[in-house]
Amino acid sequence: MKIAICVDDRMGMSFNNRRQSRDRAVYEDMIAEGGGIMAVTPFSQRLFKDDPRVRLYSPDEPASLLFLEYGDCSDYPFTELILYFWNRLYPADKFLNIDLGKFQLTETLELSSPTHKCITKRRYLKK
């Protein structure tokens, strides 16, 4: 399974139990990464309301990609990590809890959208 996470330049994920930012181009890219389906946690589910391409994550129902905004990454079985960097500093009190030294960077791409001129997408595989 892949986990996709959006982070700021200090690896911040959220602030005061709220997401730092959101972006439609990033979500569309995540859904494409998941083969047209993206799993989410209850925290993120309200973002997608009635989108049939998004479902609530269940360990009993394998998912190709899980979008994680808030929570402990080690709670999920994954072999691939996709980070979307906002290339900005946002207030944060929850930070990514993964040692990237245990991963190999395999791809870097630049995305753009109306809300963020440059979003850096980095793909990592577990070593």
Side-chain angles (χ1 to χ4, degrees):
M1 179 172 74
K2 304 173 197 175
I3 287 185
I5 302 170
C6 298
V7 295
D8 71 4
D9 288 348
R10 292 177 300 172
M11 304 300 268
M13 295 172 61
S14 63
F15 177 68
N16 199 21
N17 295 324
R18 297 181 314 204
R19 68 191 45 82
Q20 290 180 340
S21 185
R22 64 185 205 187
D23 186 275
R24 179 170 295 280
V26 169
Y27 297 153
E28 291 299 326
D29 190 73
M30 287 183 205
I31 289 170
E33 282 283 346
I37 300 289
M38 178 172 69
V40 297
T41 62
F43 180 81
S44 302
Q45 189 176 26
R46 64 180 171 241
L47 276 178
F48 301 99
K49 299 187 181 166
D50 298 322
D51 190 329
R53 304 170 301 169
V54 178
R55 66 176 171 83
L56 190 60
Y57 173 79
S58 167
D60 299 329
E61 224 178 299
S64 178
L65 181 127
L66 169 63
F67 172 44
L68 189 62
E69 288 187 283
Y70 187 80
D72 189 344
C73 300
S74 64
D75 291 342
Y76 304 95
F78 68 98
T79 56
E80 190 171 335
L81 176 66
I82 301 170
L83 296 181
Y84 294 88
F85 288 85
W86 297 124
N87 296 312
R88 297 180 183 176
L89 288 175
Y90 288 115
D93 56 13
K94 176 68 176 171
F95 295 87
L96 184 63
N97 63 338
I98 293 177
D99 177 4
L100 290 180
K102 296 179 180 180
F103 291 81
Q104 177 181 352
L105 177 63
T106 61
E107 181 181 33
T108 301
L109 297 170
E110 300 295 327
L111 306 173
S112 65
S113 74
T115 60
H116 294 81
K117 288 184 182 179
C118 180
I119 301 164
T120 304
K121 175 183 176 182
R122 294 184 183 148
R123 181 184 312 275
Y124 298 86
L125 295 177
K126 280 191 176 177
K127 291 182 181 178

